[in-house]
Amino acid sequence: MLKLAIYGKGGIGKSTMTSHLAAAFASLGKKVIQIGCDPKADSTINLLHGQPLKPVMDYLKEGDEPDHLEDISQIGYGGVLCIETGGPTPGLGCAGRGIIATFNLLEDLELFETYQPDVVLYDVLGDVVCGGFAAPIREGYAEDVLIVTSGEKMALYAANNIYTAVKNFEDRGYAKVKGLILNHRNVINEEEKVAQFAKARHLRIIGDIPRSDTIIQYEDQGMTAIEGDINSEISQRFIALAKELLNEGS
């Protein structure tokens, strides 16, 4: 089973990268779970034709603990099983606790034993890698971390924070950083900046995703570019990345 946690600065495009990767794996015939670990609960929306999924924390806040996986999940494009952790009411609780509560429930419901996925993707909020936000990289969940960045200063700053935090967790048996996904913002000398950052930390740039109007076009329609046009150049980029990750994970 390939288990990946995807981190990066808020607004850098983690959910776009994650949902497109999920769709790419599904297009290759793989059984995929995508778990959105963000209070906004919008990670899976483009796998569900723009329809938001009720997050697990909403059930728990209502005092209605779900008894079945079907209560908290939905099947999206390509058969991807979609789950959103959600979070507490803003200002009234720690968002990270929502992730922990959700993961405890998923264990009780035997998610992985029941669904038996080939690939699990965790889309994790921002550049915070502590408390509940570290839960996806603990032993038994994700095995590898992909950091999404651009060449922008703050994106690289966040990427460095994530890299440092994950490195500090290595001796606990947590996941390791597998590499970077360069999500282009077309800033000056972007490729050189990210390459220099990667080289200094002995990381690979595993994915190179150009800025794409095709992605925007299909996300406006509530879908990934892979569902909209699997033969497009950008869709093929994600499929190539999915193949590479599968080959390395086998």
Side-chain angles (χ1 to χ4, degrees), residues 56-241:
V56 174
M57 278 301 293
D58 281 14
Y59 289 100
L60 300 182
K61 282 186 289 187
E62 294 164 2
D64 182 21
E65 184 165 319
D67 296 319
H68 306 284
L69 284 173
E70 294 79 10
D71 297 332
I72 58 168
S73 64
Q74 242 179 299
I75 300 296
Y77 169 76
V80 177
L81 186 72
C82 301
I83 297 171
E84 297 280 359
T85 68
T89 303
L92 298 180
C94 171
R97 290 180 184 171
I99 299 173
I100 293 171
T102 297
F103 280 31
N104 289 339
L105 177 61
L106 295 179
E107 286 186 4
D108 292 342
L109 295 178
E110 299 183 333
L111 169 65
F112 304 116
E113 296 87 347
T114 301
Y115 197 70
Q116 298 186 342
D118 301 305
V119 181
V120 184
L121 300 172
Y122 301 92
D123 175 14
V124 191
L125 169 67
D127 57 349
V128 182
V129 190
C130 63
F133 299 105
I137 64 173
R138 291 176 185 161
E139 188 174 7
Y141 292 112
E143 294 174 347
D144 292 295
V145 172
L146 296 176
I147 302 174
V148 180
T149 189
S150 67
E152 296 163 303
K153 181 178 179 179
M154 294 310 296
L156 290 170
Y157 179 81
N160 185 63
N161 284 344
I162 296 162
Y163 167 78
T164 302
V166 176
K167 287 289 288 182
N168 288 338
F169 283 137
E170 278 187 346
D171 60 353
R172 304 187 198 178
Y174 283 25
K176 63 184 183 299
V177 179
K178 188 173 186 66
L180 305 175
I181 297 177
L182 170 52
N183 187 25
H184 284 260
R185 293 296 178 88
N186 296 343
V187 300
I188 296 172
N189 298 325
E190 185 163 38
E191 291 186 4
E192 292 86 347
K193 289 175 181 176
V194 176
Q196 183 179 18
F197 175 88
K199 183 178 180 181
R201 291 154 187 80
H202 307 288
L203 294 174
R204 289 188 302 140
I205 300 173
I206 295 177
D208 191 322
I209 306 299
R211 198 164 181 84
S212 171
D213 290 338
T214 303
I215 288 178
I216 297 169
Q217 172 192 345
Y218 286 111
E219 286 193 337
D220 284 346
Q221 299 175 47
M223 65 179 76
T224 64
I226 290 168
E227 180 177 4
D229 182 2
I230 197 169
N231 295 312
S232 68
E233 178 185 352
I234 197 67
S235 294
Q236 290 303 308
R237 288 267 187 150
F238 282 105
I239 290 170
L241 175 55

Side-chain angles (χ1 to χ4, degrees), residues 2-19:
L2 186 63
K3 298 182 284 186
L4 301 169
I6 298 171
Y7 285 81
K9 172 183 172 293
I12 196 61
K14 292 182 305 300
S15 295
T16 293
M17 297 299 105
T18 307
S19 58

